[in-house]
Amino acid sequence: MTVRVVVADDQALVRTGFRMILTAGGIDVVAEAANGGEAVDAVRRTRPDVVLMDVRMPELDGLEATRRILTGAVAPPRIIILTTFDLDQYVYAALTAGASGFLLKDVTPEHLVAAVRLVRDGDALLAPAITRRLVRRFARSDPATATLHRDLATLTPRETEVLRLLARGLSNAELATALHLSEATVKTHVARILGKLGLRDRVQAVVVAYETGLVSPGSPEG
């Protein structure tokens, strides 16, 4: 199945480069946008699978565009945040808003194509080490970004354990091995965690695990 992508960046050269890379990788770039407003319009018009969203754009930034695209949408696209910084407060806020991960703009062509396909298939694109650094820098210092606080009391002990391991970056296969469960059972636990906590995907689950203190940025399991 062809992956349909919208590329949103205020630099024409970046958009052109990403289009060339993605097209060469068999991915269909259905629209480009030079600011957040254009990105929102392009998504509504073309209904892509994935959006590559620059954080800092004129008129409407990538954070607000992400919120507008995801709020109330029945089948929203996956959004990958693009940034030149690997520790950007806007990136953290975008993740809490529902973005599926982020990439630095100096990403290799191979990684870019793989990342788009990864999030299209429903996986999160966020290294645990980077999550820890983002949380350490922003979650506690700026309450305005800590938007995903949830009451973990609704989780069973097993679901709490799954969430703790998920926050370490374990895949479903690794979770299954660690907990001596089948992958199908792990997927069920993860789905229940997301449902009970009202979360969009695994990225938000990771953020919640850190923001609630279930996992500490400085702890061995984090």
Side-chain angles (χ1 to χ4, degrees):
M1 183 183 298
T2 302
V3 183
R4 294 163 49 81
V5 174
V6 166
V7 178
D9 194 289
D10 62 338
Q11 298 181 42
L13 188 60
V14 172
R15 297 197 305 273
T16 299
F18 279 6
R19 175 185 283 275
M20 292 176 61
I21 291 169
L22 294 172
T23 300
I27 292 171
D28 186 11
V29 178
V30 296
E32 296 180 17
N35 59 59
E38 290 182 7
V40 174
D41 291 341
V43 167
R44 291 172 177 169
R45 185 177 70 252
T46 64
R47 300 180 64 83
D49 302 303
V50 177
V51 180
L52 294 177
M53 181 77 75
D54 188 20
V55 170
R56 303 183 184 194
M57 293 184 289
E59 298 183 33
L60 189 71
D61 64 29
L63 172 58
E64 182 57 31
T66 295
R67 287 175 176 153
R68 294 187 186 185
I69 289 170
L70 297 180
T71 300
V74 176
R78 297 282 178 170
I79 296 180
I80 300 175
I81 299 298
L82 299 171
T83 179
T84 53
F85 308 98
D86 67 348
L87 278 179
D88 190 316
Q89 185 170 6
Y90 291 100
V91 172
Y92 182 80
L95 295 177
T96 66
S100 294
F102 76 90
L103 289 171
L104 299 182
K105 287 187 180 181
D106 61 0
V107 61
T108 65
E110 296 79 10
H111 192 188
L112 176 63
V113 172
V116 168
R117 295 190 182 282
L118 183 72
V119 298
R120 170 62 181 82
D121 292 337
D123 288 327
L125 184 69
L126 194 63
I130 296 177
T131 307
R132 289 197 296 273
R133 293 163 64 195
L134 283 168
V135 173
R136 182 181 295 116
R137 181 162 175 177
F138 299 123
R140 308 296 182 182
S141 61
D142 185 356
T145 66
T147 59
L148 284 178
H149 281 300
R150 296 290 192 275
D151 183 3
L152 302 187
T154 59
L155 302 183
T156 66
R158 175 63 89 181
E159 289 165 351
T160 301
E161 186 177 15
V162 169
L163 177 57
R164 182 180 289 109
L165 293 176
L166 188 155
R168 290 174 52 191
L170 272 65
S171 66
N172 284 342
E174 291 168 334
L175 282 168
T177 298
L179 298 173
H180 306 290
L181 301 171
S182 68
E183 282 195 52
T185 300
V186 167
K187 290 180 181 178
T188 298
H189 283 311
V190 172
R192 286 176 178 166
I193 290 168
L194 299 182
K196 286 182 177 182
L197 300 181
L199 303 175
R200 173 175 165 76
D201 57 21
R202 295 168 75 103
V203 169
Q204 290 195 327
V206 170
V207 173
V208 164
Y210 285 107
E211 286 193 345
T212 58
L214 180 64
V215 175
S216 169
S219 68
E221 66 266 46

